[in-house]
Amino acid sequence: IRYYPCPGRIAGHPSILEGTIEEIVESARSIAARTGVHGLDLLAYRAAVDVPHLISAVCGAVSKPVIVAGSIDRAERIHAVIGGKASGFTVGTAALDERFPAASPGLMQQLLAIAAITTEVP
């Protein structure tokens, strides 16, 4: 079991990340410094900020892995996650709703399409 809490202020459902980039980065530093925290779960695309900058700022501010979650539903967002030096990302509903261009329908094809996107050079 690994503990990856979310930095920043989380509100509502679906979850929204509130605050400025500076506030979220400070929260990330504070949380990452705690014993027992293995990494961070950053809801970057649920924030009303410059998301690529947020990802880069949080990843650069902590020495623990940052996983980007929430609304990763297109290639451009995957490229921003990779460019921001995040350790990984989650994809849930977007794959189940078949939002990625795939050779044929189905979850396995969605996962293959996502894997292919991760190898593209933006």
Side-chain angles (χ1 to χ4, degrees), residues 33-56:
R34 295 181 186 174
T35 302
V37 171
H38 297 95
L40 300 173
D41 180 1
L42 180 63
L43 294 173
Y45 283 101
R46 302 278 179 84
V49 298
D50 176 342
V51 175
H53 182 211
L54 173 63
I55 295 168
S56 294

Side-chain angles (χ1 to χ4, degrees), residues 66-94:
V66 176
I67 305 298
V68 179
S71 301
I72 308 293
D73 60 2
R74 61 190 77 121
E76 296 80 15
R77 291 183 175 188
I78 292 172
H79 294 155
V81 168
I82 293 167
K85 307 295 186 204
S87 297
F89 61 95
T90 67
V91 175
T93 306

Side-chain angles (χ1 to χ4, degrees), residues 78-79 82 112-122:
I78 292 172
H79 294 155
I82 293 167
L112 291 170
I114 293 163
I117 291 167
T118 66
T119 66
E120 297 172 355
V121 177

Side-chain angles (χ1 to χ4, degrees), residues 93-104:
T93 306
L96 295 174
D97 290 345
E98 299 187 349
R99 299 282 307 267
F100 296 93
S104 59

